[in-house]
Amino acid sequence: MAPLDRSSSSGRALPATLNAWTNFLTDTELPAFARTVSEVTRIAGDPEASAYKLASAITKDAAMAARLVKLANSPLFPSSHGNIQTVDRGVVLLGFDAVRDLAVSLSVIEQVIRGQSRDALLEEMALAFHTATQSQTLARLAQDKESAEIFVAGLLYRIGVLAVLSSPDPRVEDYLAEKADFDPNEAVQIARMEKRVFGCDMTQLSRRLAQHWSLGQVLQEALAPDPSQAGERIAAGRRIAEVAMRRGWESKEANELLSRVARKIGLKLSDIREKVHESSEVAREMAAQFGATKVAPLIPQTAQGIAKSKQAESAARDGRGTAGSANTDAAETEGDAGTDGRFLRPDPLLQLQMLGRMAELLNGKPDLNRLVHTAVEGVHRGIGMDRTVFALLTGKQDAVAAKFVLTEIEERLQASFRFSLRPEVNPLLAAVIGQRKAFWVRKDSPPDERKLVRGPFAQFVAKEDFVIHPVLFGDKCIGFLYADRANSHRPIESSDEASFRQFIQQLTLGLRLLGVR
C-alpha cells in the first residue's frame, strides 16, 4: 500500500520517500540544527583544526556551551578528568569526538523540544534518555571502551522517530493511533506500518540521518543491518527502557529481560538489577541537565528511587534542621543565610535562559545596554549573587563607576560604587583594568592575593568571596563585571565561577561583534 497522500497546511507535498524525508528534515524542519552539526563536524573532522576552533564554534551558542560544560562534569564522564570549566578544556580532556557528539546531541534535543509538544514526543524523549544511560551502564559492566560514545549513540538511537514526532506532519496522528495497537516487540509489523504511512520505516530514517548528519561512528554502526557490539548494548538498553516504561520495574517481563542481559554479559542478576535501577535515576538527572525538564518525570523510578525522592521532598519541607537540634552558632548563621528569602539561589535553568537571550540579541542588531543588562541579570539571578555590578571607566579613566547594579538589599549601591584605579590605592582594580586580569578571591585565598584588596574597595568587599573580570571592547578594556555574596556570607563555588565566565564569554563575543559592525 502506498504512503498516505496528503499535503501540509501550506499546500506543499509531504515527504513520502527516504530521500525526501532526509531533505525535508535537513532543509525545512531542522535547518539550524543541520548548520550547527555541519560546522561542528567539519571542524572536528579536520586534522589541522585546533581545540580552540572547535570550542569557538560551540561557544557561539551560549546555551549549548553552558550545558556542555555541565555535562562534561556529570556522571556521563569519568571523574578522573577533573573539574572542566570551559569548552576548550573539555575538548582537550575529553577529545574532539566526545565534545562533537555532545554538541550534536544537545542540538538535537534543543530542536526537538522546540517542535510539537505531543505527549508521544515527550515519552519518546524519555525513552531516549533512559536508553542512553542503560546502554552506558551495560557497556561499563561489560568493560567496553567506548561508554561515553555509547551514551550519545543511545540518546540518538531513534533520531528518526524524534525528528518525525517533532514535525507538524498531519500523518503523525494516524501513525500514533495505529502504533497503539501493536506490542513493542512486534518490530517487523511496526516497520511495515511506518513504511505504509510515511514511505520509510523509522529505523531506515534514523540510519540515513545518522549518515547524512555525521552523527558519530558508534551510532552508525549500531544502526547498521549487522550491528556492532555497541549496537547490541544499545538495543538491550532500549528494551530495558521500554519494558520499564510499559510494564514497570517489578513486572515479570522486566525480571526475565534482566536475567537474559545478565547471562549475556556474564554477571549475577542481582548485580545487573542494582546497576540498572541506579541508571534510571541517572537518566532523570541527565534529562534535566540536557534541558529536557518535562521529560525527566516520565522516566520510571524504582521503588528505591521513589523512597529517596520522598525523603528529599520531606527534608526540603522541614528545612535544613529541626527545632531543638544542637547546631553551632556558625552553622545556624550559615543555614539562615542559605534559606533567607532575600538571597537568591543558583538556578541553572535560568542561567541557560539568560545566555540564550544574549545569543538572540546577537542575531539581530545588538544593543549594548540590553546586552550588558542581560549579562548582569543572568549573573545575579541565575548564579544567585548578592551584589552584581557592571562598572565602566570614568571620563578621565582614572577610576571606575557603576553603570548597572543589581542587589537585593543595598538600595544606594550604584551611587556609592566608585573607586580609584591608582595602583597604590587599589592594586587589584588596577590589575583588572591595566593588565586585564580576572580574579576569583575567596576567604581562603593566598595572602598575596588578598593583599591586593585595599582601601575603600577592601571595606566594600569585607573579606568575602567575590569574582571580577575585565570587559573588553575591541582591544580596549572599558570596565569590569563584578559579583559577590557579601550580604549572605556564602562562598562562591567553582561551579559559580565557571558560570560567571560563561556570561563573560558571551558578553565578550557580543562586544566583539559590535566593534566589527
Side-chain angles (χ1 to χ4, degrees):
M1 187 181 294
L4 298 180
D5 185 15
R6 289 189 185 174
S7 298
S8 65
S9 57
S10 62
R12 187 181 304 165
L14 293 171
T17 65
L18 186 58
N19 286 337
W21 267 110
T22 303
N23 295 333
F24 171 71
L25 292 171
T26 301
D27 300 332
T28 305
E29 274 301 292
L30 303 172
F33 163 69
R35 285 195 299 271
T36 300
V37 171
S38 176
E39 176 71 0
V40 169
T41 54
R42 181 187 65 78
I43 294 172
D46 180 3
E48 302 293 322
S50 65
Y52 174 78
K53 284 185 178 180
L54 180 58
S56 296
I58 293 170
T59 306
K60 289 178 182 178
D61 185 333
M64 176 189 288
R67 284 200 179 109
L68 195 147
V69 169
K70 290 182 183 298
L71 287 168
N73 293 290
S74 74
L76 180 55
F77 293 101
S79 58
S80 58
H81 287 302
N83 187 18
I84 296 173
Q85 299 182 353
T86 60
V87 175
D88 53 353
R89 182 168 173 77
V91 174
V92 172
L93 290 178
L94 304 180
F96 269 41
D97 291 346
V99 173
R100 177 204 62 197
D101 291 348
L102 270 184
V104 168
S105 58
L106 280 165
S107 188
V108 169
I109 298 305
E110 180 184 1
Q111 293 297 318
V112 168
I113 288 173
R114 291 180 179 179
Q116 302 292 304
S117 56
R118 296 184 174 98
D119 290 342
L121 173 60
L122 297 179
E123 285 189 8
E124 187 62 40
M125 286 183 66
L127 284 170
F129 279 106
H130 204 182
T131 298
T133 56
Q134 296 297 356
S135 303
Q136 187 181 45
T137 293
L138 296 180
R140 285 175 174 171
L141 288 172
Q143 299 182 342
D144 296 344
K145 294 181 180 180
E146 45 197 15
S147 64
E149 291 88 342
I150 284 178
F151 176 92
V152 173
L155 185 63
L156 305 181
Y157 188 57
R158 300 281 285 171
I159 180 61
V161 177
L162 288 171
V164 169
L165 290 181
S166 67
S167 77
D169 193 314
R171 294 172 294 181
V172 171
E173 300 305 326
D174 296 314
Y175 163 68
L176 293 174
E178 290 198 47
K179 189 179 179 183
D181 295 331
F182 288 94
D183 185 281
N185 293 322
E186 298 176 318
V188 174
Q189 294 91 327
I190 292 174
R192 288 173 181 166
M193 180 270 292
E194 290 170 343
K195 193 164 186 177
R196 174 172 54 80
V197 174
F198 295 120
C200 62
D201 69 58
M202 295 298 99
T203 299
Q204 289 178 317
L205 183 57
S206 295
R207 186 184 305 134
R208 176 63 64 85
L209 293 179
Q211 295 169 344
H212 191 72
W213 290 340
S214 301
L215 298 182
Q217 194 62 32
V218 174
L219 176 61
Q220 293 183 47
E221 292 175 357
L223 290 167
D226 184 16
S228 61
Q229 183 183 69
E232 293 178 359
R233 305 281 185 242
I234 294 169
R238 175 75 183 194
R239 287 195 295 274
I240 291 171
E242 287 182 335
V243 168
M245 177 176 281
R246 312 299 182 200
R247 301 287 188 263
W249 283 114
E250 305 305 321
S251 65
K252 177 182 177 182
E253 291 89 341
N255 285 322
E256 290 177 348
L257 175 58
L258 293 183
S259 295
R260 290 196 298 272
V261 172
R263 287 195 299 271
K264 181 79 173 179
I265 296 180
L267 294 175
K268 293 181 179 178
L269 173 59
S270 58
D271 294 337
I272 287 284
R273 182 183 289 113
E274 179 184 357
K275 294 299 182 183
V276 164
H277 284 189
E278 289 175 358
S279 293
S280 68
E281 298 304 311
V282 175
R284 294 164 70 91
E285 177 186 340
M286 297 306 295
Q289 291 203 29
F290 267 80
T293 53
K294 292 183 179 179
V295 171
L298 300 178
I299 298 172
Q301 285 185 290
T302 62
Q304 186 177 10
I306 293 172
K308 286 183 178 179
S309 296
K310 289 182 178 179
Q311 287 177 355
E313 291 172 3
S314 177
R317 286 195 302 269
D318 294 342
R320 296 177 64 178
T322 59
S325 61
N327 295 325
T328 64
D329 290 342
E332 288 174 357
T333 301
E334 182 181 354
D336 289 343
T339 56
D340 191 329
R342 295 176 299 170
F343 302 122
L344 300 166
R345 310 298 295 172
D347 186 339
L349 183 58
L350 182 58
Q351 290 177 35
L352 295 172
Q353 289 173 346
M354 300 306 288
L355 286 166
R357 191 175 300 174
M358 292 177 73
E360 290 174 2
L361 289 173
L362 300 183
N363 288 333
K365 184 178 180 181
D367 179 280
L368 176 60
N369 286 337
R370 288 183 64 194
L371 185 67
V372 173
H373 191 275
T374 304
V376 172
E377 186 178 2
V379 168
H380 188 70
R381 295 175 53 219
I383 306 177
M385 294 298 186
D386 295 349
R387 304 184 297 185
T388 307
V389 180
F390 174 69
L392 286 174
L393 286 168
T394 58
K396 293 183 179 180
Q397 300 198 349
D398 60 351
V400 286
K403 174 68 174 177
F404 294 112
V405 169
L406 284 178
T407 178
E408 306 306 303
I409 295 178
E410 301 175 56
E411 296 179 359
R412 303 185 64 179
L413 178 58
Q414 182 153 357
S416 63
F417 195 97
R418 182 185 178 95
F419 299 102
S420 169
L421 292 177
R422 289 163 54 196
E424 64 273 19
V425 176
N426 280 317
L428 184 136
L429 296 186
V432 171
I433 299 297
Q435 301 173 37
R436 303 178 181 181
K437 283 188 175 182
F439 292 89
W440 171 23
V441 180
R442 303 175 298 282
K443 293 176 182 177
D444 60 352
S445 289
D448 289 346
E449 192 172 72
R450 270 289 176 186
K451 282 194 303 186
L452 296 175
V453 185
R454 299 182 197 164
F457 186 65
Q459 295 176 6
F460 174 77
V461 301
K463 296 185 180 180
E464 300 291 343
D465 290 12
F466 68 88
V467 284
I468 186 169
H469 201 293
V471 173
L472 307 180
F473 186 74
D475 59 352
K476 296 180 180 180
C477 181
I478 60 172
F480 57 72
L481 187 59
Y482 167 94
D484 69 26
R485 288 181 176 149
N487 298 129
S488 62
H489 312 294
R490 295 172 296 160
I492 293 177
E493 308 290 353
S494 59
S495 58
D496 302 322
E497 193 268 343
S499 297
F500 181 80
R501 280 188 287 104
Q502 289 289 338
F503 281 98
I504 284 290
Q505 289 176 7
Q506 188 68 355
L507 180 59
T508 301
L509 174 62
L511 293 175
R512 188 183 303 143
L513 291 175
L514 277 171
V516 171
R517 296 178 186 181

